[in-house]
Amino acid sequence: MTIKPLADRVVTKAVKAEETTKSGLILTSAAQEKPQVAEIVAVGPGGMVDGNEVKMYVKVGDKVLTAKYSGTEVKVDGEEYSIIRQSDILAIVE
C-alpha cells in the first residue's frame, strides 16, 4: 500500500536517531529524543489551501528538519510515517 498526500501535505519517514553520544555513551531507546530530521517519501500536489495558492518547495528524497511535535504519525505495512503540512517543515538539510 502507498500513501498519496493531498493538498500541501508531505509524507516523511524519520531518519534513525543517534544511538551513542559524542562522548561514546550508548543511549537506550527510551532516552533517545524523537528525531527531527526526516526524509520525504511523498509530496502532495499543492494548489488552493484555505483560499491561498500553495506551491510545493520540497521533493521526494529531500531530508528536512521538522517542527518537534508536528504532524500525524501513521503506521503502514509495518513502517512508521508522519504526515505533515509543508508549513511545518523548518528547513531542508543539505
Side-chain angles (χ1 to χ4, degrees):
M1 176 170 35
T2 60
I3 303 173
K4 185 175 178 183
L6 302 175
D8 66 334
R9 289 185 170 74
V10 176
V11 178
T12 63
K13 184 174 182 181
V15 174
K16 189 171 180 176
E18 292 292 324
E19 295 180 1
T20 58
T21 63
K22 289 183 181 182
S23 61
L25 296 175
I26 298 174
L27 299 173
T28 64
S29 61
Q32 296 173 3
E33 287 188 26
K34 178 183 173 190
Q36 289 180 270
V37 176
E39 184 174 351
I40 296 178
V41 295
V43 177
M48 295 298 286
V49 176
D50 297 329
N52 297 318
E53 181 71 28
V54 175
K55 181 180 175 195
M56 300 306 284
Y57 294 101
V58 294
K59 62 186 180 306
V60 173
D62 282 350
K63 287 197 175 107
V64 294
L65 185 64
T66 61
K68 194 162 196 152
Y69 300 106
S70 63
T72 301
E73 294 181 5
V74 295
K75 196 171 198 177
V76 177
D77 296 334
E79 296 285 335
E80 292 186 12
Y81 299 98
S82 291
I83 301 174
I84 62 173
R85 288 186 174 266
Q86 178 177 250
S87 60
D88 289 333
I89 296 173
L90 304 174
I92 296 174
V93 178
E94 296 180 340

